[in-house]
Amino acid sequence: MKFSDSILAMLFGFRAEDDEKEEAQNDSGLTEQHQEEQAKEQEEFVPAAAANELILPMEHALNRLYDLREEQAGGLPVPWLRLEGYEEMAQTGLERELGRLEKQLTAAADERIKKAVPKEEANPTVMPEASEGGHGEEADILAEEPEAVQVELDAQPFIFISSDRLTAWIMVFPPVGKGKEIDRAAIEQSLKENGVTFGVDEGLLNRLPDSRERYFRLFTAAKGREAVQGKDGYIVDYFKRSMQRQVEVDEHDRVDYASLNLVQSAEEGAVICEAVPPTKAVAGRTVFDQEISGKDGKAATLPKGQNTEISKDGSKLLASKSGRVEFSGRAFQVKSTMNVEKNVDYSTGNINFVGDVHIRGDVLSGFQVKSMGNITVDGVVEAGVVEAGGDLVIAKGIVGDQEAVIRSNRNVYTKYLEHGIVHVRGNLITDCILHSDVYCDGEVQVTSGRGAIIGGRIRAARGIKANNVGSKSESNTTVILGGQPCADFERTLLLEEIEDLENEMVKLERQPDSPAKAQRMGKIRLDLSVNRMKMGQFEKEKKKIDEKLEEQGGCRMKCGILYPGVSLTIGKETLQVTQETSSCNARLVDGEIRLI
C-alpha cells in the first residue's frame, strides 16, 4: 500500500481491495457527479494538522522510505511528526522549530534514500530489442532479467534537539531488506553520539523496540530541566498607605464620629512594614547535561522616611518614635502626635503644633488649637478657634455661640454644628447644622441622624445633601451653591483689610511729620503692597471661576423635605421657597432654578 493509500485507510477504513471494487463500480456505470460528491465528502472529514505537527509533501524522501517499507513489511502506521510538549509554544517559536526539524529530517531522509535505492534500481537499464530473427548468444544474455540488487540497511535512529537544548526527540528509520530491527543498544548509541545524556526517558528506550509504531514517529527521548528564575522581593505593609475616609451609618441611622479611624498611631519600635527577601534562582540542565544559569530575584527597598529606622537584620521598617504613620507617596513617615489628656483650658493654654493633635476632652471658650496636621477632639468645641491643616474630627459637636471659628484644609467631621462659623476646603459631614455660617469648597453632607439644616447661611461649592432643609416654622435659611466659598470669604476679608489700611494712610498724611509717623507709614505701605499683590492673584482666580459659572448646573441640592423660608441661590439665580417640597432635587436648568 502506498503512503497516500495508508492515510486514506486510516481516515476512512477501506483497503486496496476496496479501491479495486470502487474502480469496477465506476466502470459499470457510476456517474462522474457521484464520484465528485464522494471525493468532496472525504475531504470534509480530513482532520486539520496540529499546530506542532510537521506535514511533508508526498514526494518527500521520508514518504518514499515509508512506501519502500510498506512494500517490504506492510501494515505500517503512517508517519507522525509532532513536537510533543510544544503545543502551547508561541506561533513564531513553533514555526522556527518546525523549520529546523524539516531541514534536518530532509537531510537525513535524503541520505537514507540514496542508500536504500541503488542507482541500478533508480535508473534501470533499457533492454535492446533482439534483431529480427536473431537468436544468438548475446541476445539471449540481454533478454535475461537483471538480478535485483539486494540492499541491507539496519534501522537508524534520527535525533532532533530543540534550539533551547531542553528537549530531544527520536524518530527511527526502519531497516531495509534484511537489515537489523531497532533495539535499545542502537538507540542508546545514537543518543550518546548526539551528546544526549541528561533526562533520558528510560521507559521509552525499553518499550520502543517492541512498539508497533516504532518507525516514522517522533518520540520525546529526553527532557532537560528549565532554570527557575528567582522571584523579586516585595514589601508587606502593616499600616495602610492611604486612608479611606468613609462615614458609616449604623442601623439606627447614627454615625460614631469618635471612631472614624482617620489616624494610624504607632508606638516607638512598632513594625511599619517588612521586606520579604528575594529568592535565589535554581539552575537548570540541558539534555547535554550542561548547566543553565538563572537570574536571582531583586531585593525590595524599604520605604524609609522621617522618624523611621531599619531593623538590624535589614528586613523591617520600624517607628523610631511614637506618632501617626503616614505614607507620603514614596516613603512611610511617623509624625509626632500631641496628646492632650484633658480639656484645652487654662491648664494647657492655647495649642499651636506642627504635627497631629489629639484632645481627649473639650476645647473651652476663648482658647485656640492650631495644627498643621490632623486634629481630633473627643469632646465638644465651645466658642473657641480650631484650625487644622488636615482633617478635623469633633466627636461630640460644636456649640459656638456665634464665636466658634472652625477651619480645615481637608474635611470636617462633627456630630452637630450649632451657632458656629466653619471654613472647610473639603467636605463637611455632620448630623445637624443649626443657625451657623458655613463656607465649604466641597459638599455639605447632612444625611445621618436628624439630617437637618435649619437657619444660617450655607455656602457649598459642589452641592448639599440633607434630609431636611429649613423648618416648619419657616426659619430664614440661606443656601448658596457654586463658586469658591472659602476663597470668596478670604477675598472679602482682604478687601476690608486693604480699605482699613488706606483709611489709616489718609489719616496719617494729615498729621505733622515725625519719626513715628514715617515709621508707621512705611509699614502701612508695605502691608498695602503685599495685600494688593494677593488681591491681584485673587482676581486672576476669580476670572477662572467666573468662566465656570455657566457650568454650575451640575451643582445641586438634594433633600427629603424643603421647607418655606429657604432662599436658594445657584450661580446668579435666586429662588425663594414658598411651599413645602418633598424629595427635592434642586438644580439650575436653562438659567432657571427648578425643584425636580
Side-chain angles (χ1 to χ4, degrees), residues 69 75-77 172 181-182 187 203-217 219:
R69 175 65 178 179
L76 191 67
V172 182
E181 295 284 342
I182 192 67
I187 298 174
L204 176 68
L205 268 60
N206 289 330
R207 66 177 181 271
L208 184 59
D210 299 325
S211 173
R212 178 176 176 272
E213 299 178 340
R214 59 189 179 276
Y215 299 127
F216 296 111
R217 176 165 182 164
F219 293 93

mmCIF file with all atom_site columns, all heavy atoms in Angstrom, residues 69 75-77 172 181-182 187 203-217 219:
data_model
loop_
_atom_site.group_PDB
_atom_site.id
_atom_site.type_symbol
_atom_site.label_atom_id
_atom_site.label_alt_id
_atom_site.label_comp_id
_atom_site.label_asym_id
_atom_site.label_entity_id
_atom_site.label_seq_id
_atom_site.pdbx_PDB_ins_code
_atom_site.Cartn_x
_atom_site.Cartn_y
_atom_site.Cartn_z
_atom_site.occupancy
_atom_site.B_iso_or_equiv
_atom_site.pdbx_formal_charge
_atom_site.auth_seq_id
_atom_site.auth_comp_id
_atom_site.auth_asym_id
_atom_site.auth_atom_id
_atom_site.pdbx_PDB_model_num
ATOM 1   N N   . ARG A 1 69  ? 9.204  0.694  2.827  1.00 0.00 ? 69  ARG A N   1
ATOM 2   C CA  . ARG A 1 69  ? 8.993  -0.185 3.976  1.00 0.00 ? 69  ARG A CA  1
ATOM 3   C C   . ARG A 1 69  ? 7.626  -0.864 3.895  1.00 0.00 ? 69  ARG A C   1
ATOM 4   O O   . ARG A 1 69  ? 7.491  -2.050 4.231  1.00 0.00 ? 69  ARG A O   1
ATOM 5   C CB  . ARG A 1 69  ? 9.098  0.628  5.266  1.00 0.00 ? 69  ARG A CB  1
ATOM 6   C CG  . ARG A 1 69  ? 8.776  -0.136 6.536  1.00 0.00 ? 69  ARG A CG  1
ATOM 7   C CD  . ARG A 1 69  ? 9.773  -1.237 6.814  1.00 0.00 ? 69  ARG A CD  1
ATOM 8   N NE  . ARG A 1 69  ? 9.462  -1.915 8.068  1.00 0.00 ? 69  ARG A NE  1
ATOM 9   C CZ  . ARG A 1 69  ? 10.147 -2.935 8.572  1.00 0.00 ? 69  ARG A CZ  1
ATOM 10  N NH1 . ARG A 1 69  ? 11.211 -3.387 7.917  1.00 0.00 ? 69  ARG A NH1 1
ATOM 11  N NH2 . ARG A 1 69  ? 9.795  -3.490 9.712  1.00 0.00 ? 69  ARG A NH2 1
ATOM 12  N N   . GLY A 1 75  ? 1.349  -3.089 6.692  1.00 0.00 ? 75  GLY A N   1
ATOM 13  C CA  . GLY A 1 75  ? 0.717  -2.817 7.981  1.00 0.00 ? 75  GLY A CA  1
ATOM 14  C C   . GLY A 1 75  ? 1.433  -1.791 8.823  1.00 0.00 ? 75  GLY A C   1
ATOM 15  O O   . GLY A 1 75  ? 1.446  -1.890 10.056 1.00 0.00 ? 75  GLY A O   1
ATOM 16  N N   . LEU A 1 76  ? 2.045  -0.807 8.189  1.00 0.00 ? 76  LEU A N   1
ATOM 17  C CA  . LEU A 1 76  ? 2.860  0.179  8.918  1.00 0.00 ? 76  LEU A CA  1
ATOM 18  C C   . LEU A 1 76  ? 2.048  1.436  9.188  1.00 0.00 ? 76  LEU A C   1
ATOM 19  O O   . LEU A 1 76  ? 1.418  1.976  8.275  1.00 0.00 ? 76  LEU A O   1
ATOM 20  C CB  . LEU A 1 76  ? 4.096  0.523  8.079  1.00 0.00 ? 76  LEU A CB  1
ATOM 21  C CG  . LEU A 1 76  ? 5.192  1.336  8.764  1.00 0.00 ? 76  LEU A CG  1
ATOM 22  C CD1 . LEU A 1 76  ? 5.832  0.513  9.862  1.00 0.00 ? 76  LEU A CD1 1
ATOM 23  C CD2 . LEU A 1 76  ? 6.237  1.742  7.739  1.00 0.00 ? 76  LEU A CD2 1
ATOM 24  N N   . PRO A 1 77  ? 2.023  1.941  10.457 1.00 0.00 ? 77  PRO A N   1
ATOM 25  C CA  . PRO A 1 77  ? 1.312  3.198  10.728 1.00 0.00 ? 77  PRO A CA  1
ATOM 26  C C   . PRO A 1 77  ? 1.940  4.344  9.937  1.00 0.00 ? 77  PRO A C   1
ATOM 27  O O   . PRO A 1 77  ? 3.147  4.357  9.658  1.00 0.00 ? 77  PRO A O   1
ATOM 28  C CB  . PRO A 1 77  ? 1.504  3.406  12.238 1.00 0.00 ? 77  PRO A CB  1
ATOM 29  C CG  . PRO A 1 77  ? 1.806  2.049  12.773 1.00 0.00 ? 77  PRO A CG  1
ATOM 30  C CD  . PRO A 1 77  ? 2.560  1.343  11.680 1.00 0.00 ? 77  PRO A CD  1
ATOM 31  N N   . VAL A 1 172 ? 12.802 6.834  14.268 1.00 0.00 ? 172 VAL A N   1
ATOM 32  C CA  . VAL A 1 172 ? 13.610 5.716  13.770 1.00 0.00 ? 172 VAL A CA  1
ATOM 33  C C   . VAL A 1 172 ? 13.226 5.406  12.323 1.00 0.00 ? 172 VAL A C   1
ATOM 34  O O   . VAL A 1 172 ? 12.040 5.223  12.013 1.00 0.00 ? 172 VAL A O   1
ATOM 35  C CB  . VAL A 1 172 ? 13.432 4.462  14.647 1.00 0.00 ? 172 VAL A CB  1
ATOM 36  C CG1 . VAL A 1 172 ? 14.329 3.329  14.131 1.00 0.00 ? 172 VAL A CG1 1
ATOM 37  C CG2 . VAL A 1 172 ? 13.745 4.790  16.096 1.00 0.00 ? 172 VAL A CG2 1
ATOM 38  N N   . GLU A 1 181 ? 16.520 -4.930 12.916 1.00 0.00 ? 181 GLU A N   1
ATOM 39  C CA  . GLU A 1 181 ? 15.492 -4.092 13.524 1.00 0.00 ? 181 GLU A CA  1
ATOM 40  C C   . GLU A 1 181 ? 16.118 -3.236 14.638 1.00 0.00 ? 181 GLU A C   1
ATOM 41  O O   . GLU A 1 181 ? 17.216 -3.515 15.134 1.00 0.00 ? 181 GLU A O   1
ATOM 42  C CB  . GLU A 1 181 ? 14.376 -4.970 14.107 1.00 0.00 ? 181 GLU A CB  1
ATOM 43  C CG  . GLU A 1 181 ? 13.597 -5.772 13.084 1.00 0.00 ? 181 GLU A CG  1
ATOM 44  C CD  . GLU A 1 181 ? 12.595 -4.908 12.313 1.00 0.00 ? 181 GLU A CD  1
ATOM 45  O OE1 . GLU A 1 181 ? 12.269 -3.809 12.796 1.00 0.00 ? 181 GLU A OE1 1
ATOM 46  O OE2 . GLU A 1 181 ? 12.157 -5.339 11.233 1.00 0.00 ? 181 GLU A OE2 1
ATOM 47  N N   . ILE A 1 182 ? 15.387 -2.214 15.042 1.00 0.00 ? 182 ILE A N   1
ATOM 48  C CA  . ILE A 1 182 ? 15.886 -1.308 16.076 1.00 0.00 ? 182 ILE A CA  1
ATOM 49  C C   . ILE A 1 182 ? 15.914 -2.016 17.424 1.00 0.00 ? 182 ILE A C   1
ATOM 50  O O   . ILE A 1 182 ? 15.035 -2.852 17.724 1.00 0.00 ? 182 ILE A O   1
ATOM 51  C CB  . ILE A 1 182 ? 15.012 -0.029 16.159 1.00 0.00 ? 182 ILE A CB  1
ATOM 52  C CG1 . ILE A 1 182 ? 15.703 1.029  17.021 1.00 0.00 ? 182 ILE A CG1 1
ATOM 53  C CG2 . ILE A 1 182 ? 13.613 -0.333 16.705 1.00 0.00 ? 182 ILE A CG2 1
ATOM 54  C CD1 . ILE A 1 182 ? 16.961 1.569  16.429 1.00 0.00 ? 182 ILE A CD1 1
ATOM 55  N N   . ILE A 1 187 ? 19.576 2.674  20.012 1.00 0.00 ? 187 ILE A N   1
ATOM 56  C CA  . ILE A 1 187 ? 19.023 3.962  20.457 1.00 0.00 ? 187 ILE A CA  1
ATOM 57  C C   . ILE A 1 187 ? 19.997 4.651  21.403 1.00 0.00 ? 187 ILE A C   1
ATOM 58  O O   . ILE A 1 187 ? 20.276 5.848  21.276 1.00 0.00 ? 187 ILE A O   1
ATOM 59  C CB  . ILE A 1 187 ? 17.658 3.761  21.127 1.00 0.00 ? 187 ILE A CB  1
ATOM 60  C CG1 . ILE A 1 187 ? 16.654 3.178  20.127 1.00 0.00 ? 187 ILE A CG1 1
ATOM 61  C CG2 . ILE A 1 187 ? 17.133 5.078  21.694 1.00 0.00 ? 187 ILE A CG2 1
ATOM 62  C CD1 . ILE A 1 187 ? 15.324 2.812  20.755 1.00 0.00 ? 187 ILE A CD1 1
ATOM 63  N N   . GLY A 1 203 ? 12.076 4.556  30.155 1.00 0.00 ? 203 GLY A N   1
ATOM 64  C CA  . GLY A 1 203 ? 10.905 3.756  29.799 1.00 0.00 ? 203 GLY A CA  1
ATOM 65  C C   . GLY A 1 203 ? 10.707 3.696  28.299 1.00 0.00 ? 203 GLY A C   1
ATOM 66  O O   . GLY A 1 203 ? 10.344 2.642  27.747 1.00 0.00 ? 203 GLY A O   1
ATOM 67  N N   . LEU A 1 204 ? 10.942 4.809  27.603 1.00 0.00 ? 204 LEU A N   1
ATOM 68  C CA  . LEU A 1 204 ? 10.822 4.815  26.145 1.00 0.00 ? 204 LEU A CA  1
ATOM 69  C C   . LEU A 1 204 ? 11.851 3.888  25.518 1.00 0.00 ? 204 LEU A C   1
ATOM 70  O O   . LEU A 1 204 ? 11.556 3.158  24.571 1.00 0.00 ? 204 LEU A O   1
ATOM 71  C CB  . LEU A 1 204 ? 10.987 6.245  25.615 1.00 0.00 ? 204 LEU A CB  1
ATOM 72  C CG  . LEU A 1 204 ? 10.982 6.395  24.099 1.00 0.00 ? 204 LEU A CG  1
ATOM 73  C CD1 . LEU A 1 204 ? 9.586  6.084  23.553 1.00 0.00 ? 204 LEU A CD1 1
ATOM 74  C CD2 . LEU A 1 204 ? 11.417 7.803  23.691 1.00 0.00 ? 204 LEU A CD2 1
ATOM 75  N N   . LEU A 1 205 ? 13.077 3.931  26.040 1.00 0.00 ? 205 LEU A N   1
ATOM 76  C CA  . LEU A 1 205 ? 14.134 3.079  25.492 1.00 0.00 ? 205 LEU A CA  1
ATOM 77  C C   . LEU A 1 205 ? 13.784 1.601  25.638 1.00 0.00 ? 205 LEU A C   1
ATOM 78  O O   . LEU A 1 205 ? 14.147 0.772  24.781 1.00 0.00 ? 205 LEU A O   1
ATOM 79  C CB  . LEU A 1 205 ? 15.463 3.358  26.199 1.00 0.00 ? 205 LEU A CB  1
ATOM 80  C CG  . LEU A 1 205 ? 16.357 4.428  25.540 1.00 0.00 ? 205 LEU A CG  1
ATOM 81  C CD1 . LEU A 1 205 ? 15.641 5.764  25.487 1.00 0.00 ? 205 LEU A CD1 1
ATOM 82  C CD2 . LEU A 1 205 ? 17.669 4.560  26.313 1.00 0.00 ? 205 LEU A CD2 1
ATOM 83  N N   . ASN A 1 206 ? 13.039 1.258  26.700 1.00 0.00 ? 206 ASN A N   1
ATOM 84  C CA  . ASN A 1 206 ? 12.672 -0.150 26.909 1.00 0.00 ? 206 ASN A CA  1
ATOM 85  C C   . ASN A 1 206 ? 11.524 -0.590 26.002 1.00 0.00 ? 206 ASN A C   1
ATOM 86  O O   . ASN A 1 206 ? 11.530 -1.698 25.475 1.00 0.00 ? 206 ASN A O   1
ATOM 87  C CB  . ASN A 1 206 ? 12.271 -0.376 28.372 1.00 0.00 ? 206 ASN A CB  1
ATOM 88  C CG  . ASN A 1 206 ? 13.480 -0.301 29.305 1.00 0.00 ? 206 ASN A CG  1
ATOM 89  O OD1 . ASN A 1 206 ? 14.599 -0.634 28.906 1.00 0.00 ? 206 ASN A OD1 1
ATOM 90  N ND2 . ASN A 1 206 ? 13.255 0.143  30.535 1.00 0.00 ? 206 ASN A ND2 1
ATOM 91  N N   . ARG A 1 207 ? 10.519 0.279  25.810 1.00 0.00 ? 207 ARG A N   1
ATOM 92  C CA  . ARG A 1 207 ? 9.323  -0.152 25.074 1.00 0.00 ? 207 ARG A CA  1
ATOM 93  C C   . ARG A 1 207 ? 9.366  0.146  23.574 1.00 0.00 ? 207 ARG A C   1
ATOM 94  O O   . ARG A 1 207 ? 8.628  -0.472 22.806 1.00 0.00 ? 207 ARG A O   1
ATOM 95  C CB  . ARG A 1 207 ? 8.088  0.493  25.676 1.00 0.00 ? 207 ARG A CB  1
ATOM 96  C CG  . ARG A 1 207 ? 8.004  1.993  25.531 1.00 0.00 ? 207 ARG A CG  1
ATOM 97  C CD  . ARG A 1 207 ? 6.694  2.536  26.109 1.00 0.00 ? 207 ARG A CD  1
ATOM 98  N NE  . ARG A 1 207 ? 6.591  3.978  25.965 1.00 0.00 ? 207 ARG A NE  1
ATOM 99  C CZ  . ARG A 1 207 ? 7.036  4.861  26.844 1.00 0.00 ? 207 ARG A CZ  1
ATOM 100 N NH1 . ARG A 1 207 ? 7.636  4.430  27.955 1.00 0.00 ? 207 ARG A NH1 1
ATOM 101 N NH2 . ARG A 1 207 ? 6.912  6.155  26.626 1.00 0.00 ? 207 ARG A NH2 1
ATOM 102 N N   . LEU A 1 208 ? 10.216 1.089  23.159 1.00 0.00 ? 208 LEU A N   1
ATOM 103 C CA  . LEU A 1 208 ? 10.203 1.483  21.756 1.00 0.00 ? 208 LEU A CA  1
ATOM 104 C C   . LEU A 1 208 ? 10.554 0.334  20.807 1.00 0.00 ? 208 LEU A C   1
ATOM 105 O O   . LEU A 1 208 ? 9.892  0.181  19.770 1.00 0.00 ? 208 LEU A O   1
ATOM 106 C CB  . LEU A 1 208 ? 11.154 2.672  21.535 1.00 0.00 ? 208 LEU A CB  1
ATOM 107 C CG  . LEU A 1 208 ? 11.162 3.259  20.123 1.00 0.00 ? 208 LEU A CG  1
ATOM 108 C CD1 . LEU A 1 208 ? 9.764  3.735  19.736 1.00 0.00 ? 208 LEU A CD1 1
ATOM 109 C CD2 . LEU A 1 208 ? 12.158 4.419  20.019 1.00 0.00 ? 208 LEU A CD2 1
ATOM 110 N N   . PRO A 1 209 ? 11.574 -0.487 21.088 1.00 0.00 ? 209 PRO A N   1
ATOM 111 C CA  . PRO A 1 209 ? 11.918 -1.558 20.127 1.00 0.00 ? 209 PRO A CA  1
ATOM 112 C C   . PRO A 1 209 ? 10.772 -2.531 19.854 1.00 0.00 ? 209 PRO A C   1
ATOM 113 O O   . PRO A 1 209 ? 10.717 -3.142 18.783 1.00 0.00 ? 209 PRO A O   1
ATOM 114 C CB  . PRO A 1 209 ? 13.099 -2.268 20.800 1.00 0.00 ? 209 PRO A CB  1
ATOM 115 C CG  . PRO A 1 209 ? 13.716 -1.194 21.666 1.00 0.00 ? 209 PRO A CG  1
ATOM 116 C CD  . PRO A 1 209 ? 12.553 -0.406 22.182 1.00 0.00 ? 209 PRO A CD  1
ATOM 117 N N   . ASP A 1 210 ? 9.842  -2.697 20.782 1.00 0.00 ? 210 ASP A N   1
ATOM 118 C CA  . ASP A 1 210 ? 8.734  -3.645 20.604 1.00 0.00 ? 210 ASP A CA  1
ATOM 119 C C   . ASP A 1 210 ? 7.442  -2.954 20.200 1.00 0.00 ? 210 ASP A C   1
ATOM 120 O O   . ASP A 1 210 ? 6.414  -3.625 20.038 1.00 0.00 ? 210 ASP A O   1
ATOM 121 C CB  . ASP A 1 210 ? 8.501  -4.417 21.914 1.00 0.00 ? 210 ASP A CB  1
ATOM 122 C CG  . ASP A 1 210 ? 9.730  -5.229 22.316 1.00 0.00 ? 210 ASP A CG  1
ATOM 123 O OD1 . ASP A 1 210 ? 10.414 -5.732 21.407 1.00 0.00 ? 210 ASP A OD1 1
ATOM 124 O OD2 . ASP A 1 210 ? 9.993  -5.343 23.530 1.00 0.00 ? 210 ASP A OD2 1
ATOM 125 N N   . SER A 1 211 ? 7.457  -1.651 20.068 1.00 0.00 ? 211 SER A N   1
ATOM 126 C CA  . SER A 1 211 ? 6.230  -0.920 19.735 1.00 0.00 ? 211 SER A CA  1
ATOM 127 C C   . SER A 1 211 ? 5.886  -1.070 18.262 1.00 0.00 ? 211 SER A C   1
ATOM 128 O O   . SER A 1 211 ? 6.767  -1.071 17.389 1.00 0.00 ? 211 SER A O   1
ATOM 129 C CB  . SER A 1 211 ? 6.397  0.566  20.068 1.00 0.00 ? 211 SER A CB  1
ATOM 130 O OG  . SER A 1 211 ? 5.284  1.310  19.613 1.00 0.00 ? 211 SER A OG  1
ATOM 131 N N   . ARG A 1 212 ? 4.603  -1.164 17.972 1.00 0.00 ? 212 ARG A N   1
ATOM 132 C CA  . ARG A 1 212 ? 4.149  -1.249 16.580 1.00 0.00 ? 212 ARG A CA  1
ATOM 133 C C   . ARG A 1 212 ? 4.427  0.071  15.861 1.00 0.00 ? 212 ARG A C   1
ATOM 134 O O   . ARG A 1 212 ? 4.609  0.089  14.634 1.00 0.00 ? 212 ARG A O   1
ATOM 135 C CB  . ARG A 1 212 ? 2.653  -1.567 16.557 1.00 0.00 ? 212 ARG A CB  1
ATOM 136 C CG  . ARG A 1 212 ? 2.051  -1.638 15.153 1.00 0.00 ? 212 ARG A CG  1
ATOM 137 C CD  . ARG A 1 212 ? 0.581  -2.056 15.207 1.00 0.00 ? 212 ARG A CD  1
ATOM 138 N NE  . ARG A 1 212 ? -0.003 -2.020 13.881 1.00 0.00 ? 212 ARG A NE  1
ATOM 139 C CZ  . ARG A 1 212 ? -0.566 -0.950 13.325 1.00 0.00 ? 212 ARG A CZ  1
ATOM 140 N NH1 . ARG A 1 212 ? -0.607 0.194  14.017 1.00 0.00 ? 212 ARG A NH1 1
ATOM 141 N NH2 . ARG A 1 212 ? -1.082 -1.011 12.112 1.00 0.00 ? 212 ARG A NH2 1
ATOM 142 N N   . GLU A 1 213 ? 4.452  1.153  16.588 1.00 0.00 ? 213 GLU A N   1
ATOM 143 C CA  . GLU A 1 213 ? 4.647  2.484  15.996 1.00 0.00 ? 213 GLU A CA  1
ATOM 144 C C   . GLU A 1 213 ? 6.081  2.973  16.169 1.00 0.00 ? 213 GLU A C   1
ATOM 145 O O   . GLU A 1 213 ? 6.345  4.173  16.274 1.00 0.00 ? 213 GLU A O   1
ATOM 146 C CB  . GLU A 1 213 ? 3.680  3.484  16.640 1.00 0.00 ? 213 GLU A CB  1
ATOM 147 C CG  . GLU A 1 213 ? 2.220  3.121  16.436 1.00 0.00 ? 213 GLU A CG  1
ATOM 148 C CD  . GLU A 1 213 ? 1.288  4.099  17.135 1.00 0.00 ? 213 GLU A CD  1
ATOM 149 O OE1 . GLU A 1 213 ? 1.757  4.794  18.062 1.00 0.00 ? 213 GLU A OE1 1
ATOM 150 O OE2 . GLU A 1 213 ? 0.109  4.172  16.750 1.00 0.00 ? 213 GLU A OE2 1
ATOM 151 N N   . ARG A 1 214 ? 7.029  2.067  16.205 1.00 0.00 ? 214 ARG A N   1
ATOM 152 C CA  . ARG A 1 214 ? 8.413  2.459  16.482 1.00 0.00 ? 214 ARG A CA  1
ATOM 153 C C   . ARG A 1 214 ? 9.075  3.201  15.325 1.00 0.00 ? 214 ARG A C   1
ATOM 154 O O   . ARG A 1 214 ? 10.078 3.878  15.526 1.00 0.00 ? 214 ARG A O   1
ATOM 155 C CB  . ARG A 1 214 ? 9.246  1.223  16.836 1.00 0.00 ? 214 ARG A CB  1
ATOM 156 C CG  . ARG A 1 214 ? 9.297  0.153  15.747 1.00 0.00 ? 214 ARG A CG  1
ATOM 157 C CD  . ARG A 1 214 ? 9.966  -1.114 16.269 1.00 0.00 ? 214 ARG A CD  1
ATOM 158 N NE  . ARG A 1 214 ? 10.023 -2.187 15.281 1.00 0.00 ? 214 ARG A NE  1
ATOM 159 C CZ  . ARG A 1 214 ? 9.030  -3.035 15.056 1.00 0.00 ? 214 ARG A CZ  1
ATOM 160 N NH1 . ARG A 1 214 ? 7.901  -2.935 15.744 1.00 0.00 ? 214 ARG A NH1 1
ATOM 161 N NH2 . ARG A 1 214 ? 9.155  -4.000 14.149 1.00 0.00 ? 214 ARG A NH2 1
ATOM 162 N N   . TYR A 1 215 ? 8.521  3.086  14.114 1.00 0.00 ? 215 TYR A N   1
ATOM 163 C CA  . TYR A 1 215 ? 9.146  3.707  12.959 1.00 0.00 ? 215 TYR A CA  1
ATOM 164 C C   . TYR A 1 215 ? 8.312  4.904  12.469 1.00 0.00 ? 215 TYR A C   1
ATOM 165 O O   . TYR A 1 215 ? 7.077  4.909  12.584 1.00 0.00 ? 215 TYR A O   1
ATOM 166 C CB  . TYR A 1 215 ? 9.311  2.694  11.828 1.00 0.00 ? 215 TYR A CB  1
ATOM 167 C CG  . TYR A 1 215 ? 10.182 1.513  12.196 1.00 0.00 ? 215 TYR A CG  1
ATOM 168 C CD1 . TYR A 1 215 ? 9.735  0.205  12.033 1.00 0.00 ? 215 TYR A CD1 1
ATOM 169 C CD2 . TYR A 1 215 ? 11.465 1.723  12.717 1.00 0.00 ? 215 TYR A CD2 1
ATOM 170 C CE1 . TYR A 1 215 ? 10.535 -0.880 12.369 1.00 0.00 ? 215 TYR A CE1 1
ATOM 171 C CE2 . TYR A 1 215 ? 12.264 0.644  13.060 1.00 0.00 ? 215 TYR A CE2 1
ATOM 172 C CZ  . TYR A 1 215 ? 11.801 -0.647 12.896 1.00 0.00 ? 215 TYR A CZ  1
ATOM 173 O OH  . TYR A 1 215 ? 12.603 -1.698 13.242 1.00 0.00 ? 215 TYR A OH  1
ATOM 174 N N   . PHE A 1 216 ? 9.023  5.877  11.913 1.00 0.00 ? 216 PHE A N   1
ATOM 175 C CA  . PHE A 1 216 ? 8.412  7.065  11.298 1.00 0.00 ? 216 PHE A CA  1
ATOM 176 C C   . PHE A 1 216 ? 7.550  7.868  12.292 1.00 0.00 ? 216 PHE A C   1
ATOM 177 O O   . PHE A 1 216 ? 6.576  8.490  11.906 1.00 0.00 ? 216 PHE A O   1
ATOM 178 C CB  . PHE A 1 216 ? 7.567  6.684  10.083 1.00 0.00 ? 216 PHE A CB  1
ATOM 179 C CG  . PHE A 1 216 ? 8.356  6.094  8.969  1.00 0.00 ? 216 PHE A CG  1
ATOM 180 C CD1 . PHE A 1 216 ? 8.211  4.754  8.630  1.00 0.00 ? 216 PHE A CD1 1
ATOM 181 C CD2 . PHE A 1 216 ? 9.252  6.869  8.255  1.00 0.00 ? 216 PHE A CD2 1
ATOM 182 C CE1 . PHE A 1 216 ? 8.944  4.196  7.600  1.00 0.00 ? 216 PHE A CE1 1
ATOM 183 C CE2 . PHE A 1 216 ? 9.985  6.317  7.212  1.00 0.00 ? 216 PHE A CE2 1
ATOM 184 C CZ  . PHE A 1 216 ? 9.841  4.981  6.891  1.00 0.00 ? 216 PHE A CZ  1
ATOM 185 N N   . ARG A 1 217 ? 7.906  7.841  13.540 1.00 0.00 ? 217 ARG A N   1
ATOM 186 C CA  . ARG A 1 217 ? 7.160  8.619  14.533 1.00 0.00 ? 217 ARG A CA  1
ATOM 187 C C   . ARG A 1 217 ? 8.131  9.277  15.502 1.00 0.00 ? 217 ARG A C   1
ATOM 188 O O   . ARG A 1 217 ? 9.077  8.643  15.960 1.00 0.00 ? 217 ARG A O   1
ATOM 189 C CB  . ARG A 1 217 ? 6.191  7.733  15.294 1.00 0.00 ? 217 ARG A CB  1
ATOM 190 C CG  . ARG A 1 217 ? 5.469  8.483  16.417 1.00 0.00 ? 217 ARG A CG  1
ATOM 191 C CD  . ARG A 1 217 ? 4.282  7.737  16.940 1.00 0.00 ? 217 ARG A CD  1
ATOM 192 N NE  . ARG A 1 217 ? 3.600  8.503  17.984 1.00 0.00 ? 217 ARG A NE  1
ATOM 193 C CZ  . ARG A 1 217 ? 2.381  8.257  18.418 1.00 0.00 ? 217 ARG A CZ  1
ATOM 194 N NH1 . ARG A 1 217 ? 1.695  7.253  17.892 1.00 0.00 ? 217 ARG A NH1 1
ATOM 195 N NH2 . ARG A 1 217 ? 1.849  8.995  19.370 1.00 0.00 ? 217 ARG A NH2 1
ATOM 196 N N   . PHE A 1 219 ? 9.244  10.654 19.001 1.00 0.00 ? 219 PHE A N   1
ATOM 197 C CA  . PHE A 1 219 ? 9.018  10.433 20.426 1.00 0.00 ? 219 PHE A CA  1
ATOM 198 C C   . PHE A 1 219 ? 9.942  11.364 21.217 1.00 0.00 ? 219 PHE A C   1
ATOM 199 O O   . PHE A 1 219 ? 11.059 11.664 20.781 1.00 0.00 ? 219 PHE A O   1
ATOM 200 C CB  . PHE A 1 219 ? 9.322  8.982  20.823 1.00 0.00 ? 219 PHE A CB  1
ATOM 201 C CG  . PHE A 1 219 ? 8.384  7.979  20.227 1.00 0.00 ? 219 PHE A CG  1
ATOM 202 C CD1 . PHE A 1 219 ? 8.705  7.357  19.015 1.00 0.00 ? 219 PHE A CD1 1
ATOM 203 C CD2 . PHE A 1 219 ? 7.199  7.649  20.853 1.00 0.00 ? 219 PHE A CD2 1
ATOM 204 C CE1 . PHE A 1 219 ? 7.860  6.416  18.461 1.00 0.00 ? 219 PHE A CE1 1
ATOM 205 C CE2 . PHE A 1 219 ? 6.343  6.715  20.290 1.00 0.00 ? 219 PHE A CE2 1
ATOM 206 C CZ  . PHE A 1 219 ? 6.666  6.095  19.087 1.00 0.00 ? 219 PHE A CZ  1
#
